[in-house]
Amino acid sequence: MAFTFDVNARTRTVTITPPVTLPVSPSNSPPHTADRPSLSLLAGDAVRMLASNVRTSAVGAFTPNRIRVTFDVAIESRLPGIRLVTPTWPVAPANGVILFPIDYTVTFVAGSVTGGGGNTLLVEQPRFGTVTPSTDFDGTGAPASGAPYNFFNDADCTQVTSNDCFRWKAYESSIAALASSSRRTIGFDIDPSVAQFRARMIVAADLAPSDVGARTIARTVADMP
């Protein structure tokens, strides 16, 4: 259920690819069916990710010997009559729709692909430099917020063996149906040798009836004999 962000630090561009899932609308499937997503982890049928305003710092401006790449991300609800609210699983570190990077690696252009419209092939190649989420994943924006949080099974995020702890960003506590959240800044620190990298990010939110839909249902029930 991860959205793939391909970031080019040289051209300051971001390409977002939604999760490839079957059937077409897994986030809106009935409960207890095989095609339902992992509880509150949403796929591309439920949300659309919008990135803009890519910026790169000078080497060492924020972290010694590293470049910080930041960009703004908004989350758009795609389901009519459904709003996005704080997730119940994984248990959220704060109130709001949560975005967190679950995986990130360096990529490079391997050359043109023959056929298929001459698309460029991106190859994951972690040997040439490193990439890590920056403190721009600052949670709610409060002091010390956004620190690595146990989203899944790790008992202690201070252990070097922890692999389920991730930095995170909180959005509004409710994103209305067919509406977009505010744009919020996230970032990554990269080695100067890194030109491109890929981050896979999770949107965690529960689906709830929109206020208009809830009022309509309430009126319908009240009018029943």
Side-chain angles (χ1 to χ4, degrees):
M1 293 299 169
F3 288 78
T4 300
F5 287 65
D6 285 308
V7 183
N8 189 318
R10 301 292 190 263
T11 61
R12 295 187 177 92
T13 56
V14 179
T15 302
I16 303 175
T17 305
V20 178
T21 55
L22 292 174
V24 176
S25 300
S27 297
N28 208 23
S29 301
H32 311 300
T33 59
D35 55 13
R36 187 149 179 86
S38 300
L39 300 176
S40 299
L41 308 185
L42 300 183
D45 63 303
V47 296
R48 184 163 72 109
M49 308 296 290
L50 305 169
S52 61
N53 198 23
V54 183
R55 302 162 313 267
T56 56
S57 75
V59 177
F62 295 94
T63 305
N65 303 316
R66 307 196 82 190
I67 294 171
R68 179 159 298 180
V69 180
T70 58
F71 49 95
D72 301 333
V73 174
I75 301 172
E76 181 182 88
S77 171
R78 301 185 63 187
L79 298 176
I82 299 294
R83 59 193 174 95
L84 309 179
V85 298
T86 303
T88 54
W89 188 94
V91 177
N95 192 38
V97 175
I98 305 297
L99 176 69
F100 61 95
I102 196 170
D103 178 65
Y104 29 89
T105 188
V106 176
T107 57
F108 74 95
V109 177
S112 296
V113 179
T114 57
N119 294 322
T120 298
L121 178 65
L122 278 178
V123 178
E124 295 184 14
Q125 181 56 275
R127 290 181 301 173
F128 302 117
T130 60
V131 54
T132 54
S134 73
T135 53
D136 295 282
F137 282 94
D138 58 356
T140 63
S145 186
Y149 174 80
N150 172 27
F151 282 93
F152 300 113
N153 298 316
D154 283 336
D156 185 356
C157 288
T158 63
Q159 300 298 316
V160 295
T161 55
S162 299
N163 58 9
D164 286 328
C165 298
F166 309 101
R167 297 199 66 89
W168 52 280
K169 191 82 169 186
Y171 285 75
E172 290 89 342
S173 59
S174 178
I175 300 174
L178 304 180
S180 179
S181 73
S182 61
R183 293 181 180 270
R184 303 200 174 178
T185 300
I186 60 173
F188 294 85
D189 289 329
I190 62 175
D191 288 334
S193 59
V194 175
Q196 299 176 81
F197 64 92
R198 169 173 291 170
R200 295 182 178 89
M201 291 196 253
I202 293 287
V203 178
D206 276 6
L207 306 180
S210 66
D211 293 337
V212 173
R215 289 196 296 268
T216 301
I217 292 171
R219 286 197 300 268
T220 302
V221 173
D223 292 340
M224 292 177 63

